[in-house]
Amino acid sequence: MEKPKVVILGAGYGGLMTVTRLQKQLAKGEADITLVNKNDYHYETTWLHEASAGTLHHDRVRYPIQNVLNKNKVQFKQAEVKRINKDANIVVLKDGEELPYDYLVIALGSNAETFGIEGLKEHTFSITDVSAAQKIREHIERQFDAYRRENDKDDNRLTIVVVGAGFTGIEFLGELVNRIPALCKEYGIPRDKVRIVSIESNPIVLPQFDRELVDYALSYLESKGVEFHIGTAVKKATKDGVWACKKGGEPYEIKSGTVIWSAGVRGNSVIDASGFETVRGRVKVKPDLTVPGYENVFVIGDCALIINKDTNRPYPPTAQMAMQHGEVCARNLLKKIHGEESLEAFTFNDKGTVCSLGEDNAIGIVFGKKLKGTSASVMKKVVDDRALFMIGGTRLVLEPLPKCYIP
């Protein structure tokens, strides 16, 4: 009997959790498992804001995928996915190669959601991957260097606008306020020449957190020089900055040398290109994480849409969510390979959330307990290490160089 072919697309949190759990549970030769990823490394998405601000080198947020794979059970293929022919059970790669599958796991992550706003793709940066983080850091440093060299200095060059005060936006601001004083010292620029602006279209910031914690975070960032424009939408981006508008108000321009867009994500573009029924690029999956009408296709992580019955809203795409998807997905794949019909329904177990505000500050709710300041920052490190441990064990936790701040 021919071994079933399992193809896993994406080596983010969900994809790696699926493949590492599956390789432990399946006997050698029980299935042909292929993991496909564009890069030969996994990057910690929850550290990208640090690499973007320049407080952590971009090489320190990633590790080789091969480090966590059992090469006797899993084949790794570095390639980019073009589309999925779900009716023919084939994955089409960008180079034209076709991968047949019996079971497919789509864990391709997300793309930035621009909502069709004029100029965003051309004139803003998004914290999407390691390459993007490196470009953001280098761009900010170039702006400081150019300002230092100018005879007729343009202060707008040193204005940094961060659009979106959700998780990514706030964490990036926390790193930025730590990085700016060092940049000012390096380039001989007074700190008061740098303007940091946060724009958020919703009337509240970080809705998943208790208001006391949010007030603490905003107060801290404001004390470090961040200027908040809450309840304000960006209407368009230009080479000179952004145009923003409060509800019912008149549009106004914020001139800026750097605009970071962190106001939302959508499922990977491959999902739409493959003809799946989606909501903002995300597939509304069944409780067992399979696609309605395609029982051999699982969608997990940022590409999956699951409704929280308590709020009647979709669960936000987070690393914690993706890893729990991966665990359930692996168990359900095992059941299918062994011919079992009854699959496990996914239930989210919220262990808490921590939002970093920089090197030694954070806010969090962990097992129902509110944390802020140093204690929350320590918990953030614990959460990060736990994610590494769950995928690669103790070796992966101890192997990377300690995270440090670049002087």
Side-chain angles (χ1 to χ4, degrees), residues 13 43-58 60-62 125-138 140 160 162 164 166-180 183 221 260-262 319 354-363 376-377 380-381 383-384 403-406:
Y13 294 104
Y43 58 85
E44 293 290 294
T45 307
T46 56
W47 295 356
L48 286 180
H49 60 284
E50 297 175 68
S52 300
T55 52
L56 180 67
H57 193 275
H58 58 271
R60 304 273 289 281
V61 306
R62 57 186 173 185
F125 296 90
S126 293
I127 305 173
T128 52
D129 55 27
V130 175
S131 176
Q134 183 179 357
K135 288 176 183 176
I136 292 169
R137 189 202 80 224
E138 291 173 349
I140 292 172
I160 302 171
V162 181
F167 216 89
T168 301
I170 292 295
E171 289 202 317
F172 177 68
L173 288 168
E175 297 300 321
L176 201 57
V177 297
N178 281 341
R179 180 66 173 144
I180 292 303
L183 285 173
L221 292 172
I260 310 297
W261 179 262
S262 64
V354 183
C355 179
S356 172
L357 300 175
E359 184 177 10
D360 54 6
N361 203 354
I363 59 172
S377 183
K380 171 72 172 175
K381 174 63 175 169
V383 170
D384 289 346
K403 292 198 292 176
C404 65
Y405 281 72
I406 300 169

Side-chain angles (χ1 to χ4, degrees), residues 40-155:
D40 62 357
Y41 57 82
H42 163 86
Y43 58 85
E44 293 290 294
T45 307
T46 56
W47 295 356
L48 286 180
H49 60 284
E50 297 175 68
S52 300
T55 52
L56 180 67
H57 193 275
H58 58 271
D59 282 336
R60 304 273 289 281
V61 306
R62 57 186 173 185
Y63 57 82
I65 291 169
Q66 297 282 14
N67 283 11
V68 299
L69 297 185
N70 182 334
K71 298 175 183 62
N72 294 319
K73 295 183 179 181
V74 179
Q75 176 191 359
F76 173 66
K77 178 179 284 291
Q78 185 177 350
E80 198 166 350
V81 179
K82 182 178 181 181
R83 61 183 175 84
I84 298 154
N85 186 339
K86 54 190 183 300
D87 295 311
N89 290 352
I90 289 173
V91 174
V92 182
L93 304 179
K94 284 265 175 94
D95 63 6
E97 183 181 356
E98 295 185 347
L99 292 180
Y101 64 83
D102 295 301
Y103 302 107
L104 179 68
V105 179
I106 304 173
L108 288 168
S110 59
N111 298 138
E113 173 63 278
T114 62
F115 304 102
I117 297 173
E118 180 184 345
L120 283 186
K121 290 183 179 178
E122 298 81 6
H123 303 297
T124 70
F125 296 90
S126 293
I127 305 173
T128 52
D129 55 27
V130 175
S131 176
Q134 183 179 357
K135 288 176 183 176
I136 292 169
R137 189 202 80 224
E138 291 173 349
H139 174 80
I140 292 172
E141 290 174 357
R142 282 197 302 270
Q143 294 293 73
F144 274 74
D145 185 52
Y147 182 86
R148 177 182 60 176
R149 295 171 184 273
E150 286 176 342
N151 291 322
D152 186 14
K153 297 192 182 300
D154 177 11
D155 288 356

Side-chain angles (χ1 to χ4, degrees), residues 248-350:
E250 290 294 322
Y252 59 94
E253 185 179 18
I254 301 176
K255 292 190 175 182
S256 169
T258 307
V259 180
I260 310 297
W261 179 262
S262 64
V265 296
R266 61 182 291 116
N268 192 286
S269 58
V270 169
I271 300 290
D272 284 325
S274 302
F276 287 97
E277 187 176 333
T278 67
V279 178
R280 286 179 59 185
R282 300 170 72 189
V283 179
K284 190 172 183 180
V285 294
K286 294 167 62 177
D288 59 15
L289 303 178
T290 61
V291 178
Y294 297 90
E295 306 302 315
N296 64 333
V297 179
F298 293 82
V299 178
I300 64 175
D302 294 356
C303 295
L305 180 67
I306 300 175
I307 300 298
N308 181 343
K309 293 178 181 178
D310 293 334
T311 63
N312 204 32
R313 294 176 60 83
Y315 282 110
T318 64
Q320 179 183 189
M321 179 71 69
M323 292 178 76
Q324 291 187 28
H325 284 175
E327 290 186 284
V328 173
C329 181
R331 290 195 289 268
N332 281 342
L333 275 168
L334 193 67
K335 287 174 179 284
K336 280 186 172 291
I337 290 169
H338 290 163
E340 298 179 32
E341 294 184 3
S342 178
L343 300 187
E344 178 182 340
F346 174 77
T347 302
F348 180 49
N349 178 14
D350 189 357

